[in-house]
Amino acid sequence: MINFCIYVIDDEPTIRKGIAMALETSYRVETFSEAVTALEAMSRDLPDLVLLDIGLPDMDGIEALEIIKKRFPDVLVIMVTAYEDFKSVVSAMKTGAHDYLVKPIHMEGLEVIVRNAIETTRLKKEVRALQEAYLNENVPCFIGESNAILDVMSFVEEVAKSPDTPILILGETGTGKELIASAIHYRSPNFKGPLVPVNCASIAKDLIESELFGYEKGAFSGALLSGKKGLIEESANGTLFLDEVGDLSLEAQAKLLRFLESGEFYRLGGTKKMKVQTRVVSATNRNLEDMMEKGHFRKDLYFRIAVIKVKVPSLKERPGDIIPFVKYFIMKFNNKFSKNVIGLSVEARQSLMNHQWEGNVRELKNLIEKAVLTCKGNKITKEDIGINPDMNYVENSEFSGTYRKGLFFDPLDESGADLENLERSLEIFYFKEALHLSKGNESRAAQLLNLNHHTFRYRRKKHGIE
C-alpha cells in the first residue's frame, strides 16, 4: 500500500518521527510541524489520510480540520490529542474527522486505525472509479419512480432468474434497451459469464453469419488463416445480446433458429458440430409482427426469441421521470466539462415537460449535454434548451422525489450535483448487488467486490444493509 500517502501534522518532533517510523514501511509519510505549511503542500500533493494534532501553535486543529474538509472533502482526517478532551473530540467528529487518537500513542493501535482508514479510502476510490465509469459509459434507464418503469424493473428481476430462456426487448429508439439487456444478464445465473452485444444493423449482411457463427481457415476469401471464433462462442455461459434483430437476413435467421432449438451450430466452412450454452436476448424498435406478415421475418424464429417479451416504456409514457433524468445528466456533464450548473430555470423546466421526446432518453441526454456545455450562467435557461415552443404538449407529472425499491440512485437535491449522495448510493447499490448475486453469502459477496470479509461486514453494517 506504499502508493497511499499520509500527512502527519504535529508540533512535537518525537511524535512526528515515531509515527513516521511506524508507518513508512507501508505508506508514503510526509511530516509537518505547522498546519499552514501542510495546507500549502496539499494543494500540490494531495494525501489520502491526515493525522492532525488538535493543539498546534500556528492554528487550532479544529480550524485546520474545517479548512481541510472544505478544500479537500475526500481526504480522511484522524485527530490526535494529548489528553481525552472529549469536548474537542466531539467537535472534531462533528466537523468531519474520521477518527481520533489519544497521546501517548500506542503504535499497535495507531496501525489498526490507520489501516482501517486507508481501507475506507481505497474503497471510496474504487467506488469513485466505478461512478466515473458509469457516468461516462451509461444512461441509467432505471432512474425515476413512474409506474411504467417500476413495472419493467419488477418484471426484469423475475425473468432474469432463468439462465437460458430467450427474451425479446421491445421499445422505441433511445429508450435504453441495451441497459435492460445488461440488467437481465447481471441478475441472471450467467452473470459470471460474458455479455456479448451484437448490433445486427451495423454488420454487413454478407458478414453477419461469419460474425455470429465464426469460420474455419480458408472458409472464404480473406478469412484468417487460423479461423475465428464467432460471437455465439464468445458468449458461452453468458448472454448474447442481438440488438436490432429485425435486420438479420432470412438466411441468418434460419441458422439462428437452428441454434436456438438445439444449442448447436457449425462454423462457416466447418464440419465439426459446436455446442454452446448461452442466453439469447434480442431487441428491436421495429414491428416484427408486421415484418412477419410481409415475409421479412420468420414466424418460427419470432416465437423462439420472444418466449418472454419486455416492453420498455418511452419517455412520453413516463413524463414524471424527465426531471430526475435532467438532474442526473446535469451532474454527468458538469463532471465532463468542469462546469457548475446547479439546475433549471422555471421556463426551461416547462419547455422540457412540454416536449414530445421522439428520441426518448437519448434525445434528452444530447440536449442536456449541449445545454450544460453552452450555458453561460449557473442555471440552464429556456434559450439554452432551444426547444421549439410549438411542439405538442406533454401533460406535466409532478416528481415527488421519493425513489422506491431497486432504483440505482437516490434522488438528487435541487442543485442537481450531490456527488456525495451519489457515491453513497453507488456503494450501497454495489454491496446489495454483490449480496444478491451471491445469494446472501457474505464471504462470496466480499470476493466479488475484492474486499476482505471484515471490511465488507463493517461497510454493510455501516450502511444498514440487511
Side-chain angles (χ1 to χ4, degrees), residues 431-445:
F431 270 63
K432 286 183 175 179
E433 283 294 282
L435 285 167
H436 172 76
L437 294 172
S438 63
K439 295 181 171 38
N441 186 310
E442 264 195 355
S443 297
R444 178 63 187 137

Side-chain angles (χ1 to χ4, degrees), residues 144-268:
E145 63 164 7
S146 64
N147 288 333
I149 198 62
L150 289 173
D151 288 345
V152 170
M153 290 167 54
S154 178
F155 190 54
V156 164
E157 287 282 350
E158 289 303 314
V159 302
K161 294 175 182 177
S162 166
D164 54 10
T165 304
I167 296 176
L168 176 62
I169 304 171
L170 303 169
E172 298 176 6
T173 298
T175 50
K177 295 187 290 295
E178 185 168 355
L179 281 171
I180 295 293
S182 178
I184 291 169
H185 171 73
Y186 288 109
R187 285 163 174 74
S188 77
N190 299 354
F191 76 93
K192 295 179 184 177
L195 171 62
V196 179
V198 184
N199 189 325
C200 300
S202 67
I203 302 175
K205 292 188 184 298
D206 57 344
L207 294 178
I208 188 69
E209 290 181 49
S210 63
E211 288 295 314
L212 283 177
F213 301 102
Y215 56 83
E216 300 293 351
K217 61 181 180 179
F220 53 86
S221 178
L224 295 175
L225 293 178
S226 59
K228 181 183 176 183
K229 274 187 179 182
L231 295 171
I232 289 176
E233 284 182 76
E234 295 288 351
S235 70
N237 301 312
T239 302
L240 179 71
F241 175 50
L242 300 176
D243 198 9
E244 306 299 346
V245 69
D247 285 70
L248 286 175
S249 68
L250 289 172
E251 187 177 358
Q253 290 178 35
K255 290 191 174 184
L256 178 62
L257 175 63
R258 285 197 294 272
F259 168 68
L260 286 170
E261 289 178 335
S262 65
E264 299 173 342
F265 64 94
Y266 293 93
R267 289 182 181 178
L268 267 67

Side-chain angles (χ1 to χ4, degrees), residues 63-74:
E63 182 183 353
L65 172 64
E66 290 175 348
I67 294 173
I68 291 171
K69 298 309 293 182
K70 184 176 181 180
R71 294 183 187 174
F72 317 105
D74 290 337

Side-chain angles (χ1 to χ4, degrees), residues 29-69:
V29 181
E30 305 289 343
T31 62
F32 302 87
S33 60
E34 296 180 341
V36 172
T37 308
L39 289 170
E40 290 175 354
M42 281 186 200
S43 300
R44 304 184 300 271
D45 178 27
L46 192 65
D48 299 290
L49 177 66
V50 174
L51 300 181
L52 176 62
D53 187 18
I54 286 182
L56 292 170
D58 64 327
M59 182 185 298
D60 178 74
I62 302 298
E63 182 183 353
L65 172 64
E66 290 175 348
I67 294 173
I68 291 171
K69 298 309 293 182

